[in-house]
Amino acid sequence: MDAKLKYRAKKIKLVIFDIDDTLRVKNTGYIPATIPHVFESLRKKGIETGLASGRAKYGVVPELAALKPDYFAMMNGSLVEDKKGNIIYDNPIPRELVEAYIAWSQEIGIAYGFMGAEAAAISERNDAVQETIDIVYDDLEINPDFYQGKDIYQMWTFEPNGFEAILSEELAELKSVRWETRSSDILLKTASKATGVAKLVEHLGLKPENVLVFGDGLNDIELFDYAGISIAMGESHPALAAKADYITKKLEEDGIYDALEKLGMVETIRNYPQLDLANAEGPIATIQTNHGDLKIKLFPEQAPKTVANFVALSKDGYYDGVIFHRIIKDFMIQGGDPTGTGMGGQSIYGDSFEDEFSMEVFNLRGALSMANAGPNTNGSQFFIVQNTNFPYSAKELERGGWPAEIAALYAENGGTPHLDQRHTVFGHLMDTDSFAVLDAIAAVETGSQDKPLEDVVILGVTIED
């Protein structure tokens, strides 16, 4: 992503989202799991959020309403409200234009619909209605006279296959915005998402440069021209994509999160497998020793090359008969060197290989980490953290930059945080029996260079893929 765009992002105070096929897949209702995180992260940074859509506020599905956006620029900007329902901008279609539109629709023989502030209705139900608006609004009332006695902000065409309705000269104050093959939004020429958002921005005392927008369709074009930063979804109309400052991934590929994370506007989502080992994805290794078994969940997502090395060596029998050559109680147990000296061992890559540091795994008590002789010197040697005597509080670790959940686990169970980002963590003990074996091994009597007086031997390592 362009550095200049990241700089411009520092001025953003309001993020506006289209709904259909931007926040939510229109045809399936799918909403990425990252979307709540996006809204919460923006809120924490003091950045306000809004929805700008051809939908009405009553057409916002519960899952999106639960995100608690601050503002709603609905019906293509014809009605703008805050989250408490206070109206910021109100631009209904004059009654005579509504009646003229109805007469035109009846003359050319198409179904039509209306959108009021509180509800919507259709003139009839047919194939075009079922293929378009029924997906957005479930079971709308059939009422050709719905407009009587209420403000109408937007109308619809519902057209036969292969037919595109062109507004007559008598309807010159209206415009047609295509949103489906068989349907268009009909609204005042002065109405647009851009107009509604501009009224909101003026109300907030902001400037266009303070606004970032996400969209995917033709009814977002004017908004893209207006906003300081415009981001098109991965599958957007080509005309809109041509106007975007950035084209992100598809909606289903967490496109909104991807763009905002790259701009530094939302917190990076972290997966901490050590907090939920039972559900963490990865192979299970069982290190069989003459003191019992150590059952370990491996972390290929965080340390793919290291896990591949350990798994391959284990399956080849490389560790069979190898001792834990260095044991320090209240610290760790170290093994994996066929020479038993702490000076040997080789990786499957032939030479030393690089560290794989991650801010998702840590040297907590029970962590499986790579031993090394400095940066990027990994071979075959590993250690398991045993320390229980922890001198820091969770708050101290948080102030040092550790995630709150990890800091709490360190304070509760122990570990060696000073080794984080110095040794690759690639697995963790899975059960109480394994911790009992770890503590038993750590308690053996040792001599010079912390080598056990009686060998602690790896009998073999099995891998469950």
Side-chain angles (χ1 to χ4, degrees), residues 433-444:
D433 289 344
S434 295
F435 276 97
V437 172
L438 172 66
D439 290 336
I441 293 174
V444 301

Side-chain angles (χ1 to χ4, degrees), residues 378-394:
N378 299 289
S380 65
Q381 293 189 46
F382 59 84
F383 64 90
I384 302 173
V385 178
Q386 189 266 333
N387 179 43
T388 58
N389 295 323
F390 198 72
Y392 310 107
S393 70

Side-chain angles (χ1 to χ4, degrees), residues 68-84:
K68 299 179 180 180
D70 298 292
Y71 304 100
F72 300 83
M74 311 308 286
M75 294 178 282
N76 285 303
S78 295
L79 183 61
V80 182
E81 303 176 58
D82 67 17
K83 59 186 175 184
K84 295 181 180 179

Side-chain angles (χ1 to χ4, degrees), residues 19 30 66 127 280 297 356 380 382 415 440 452:
I19 293 179
Y30 173 76
D127 290 345
K297 173 62 68 74
E356 292 182 301
S380 65
F382 59 84

Side-chain angles (χ1 to χ4, degrees), residues 267-284:
E267 297 174 1
T268 302
I269 295 176
R270 303 286 187 192
N271 170 38
Y272 303 120
Q274 288 161 299
L275 298 180
D276 188 13
L277 288 169
N279 293 310
E281 295 186 5
I284 295 174

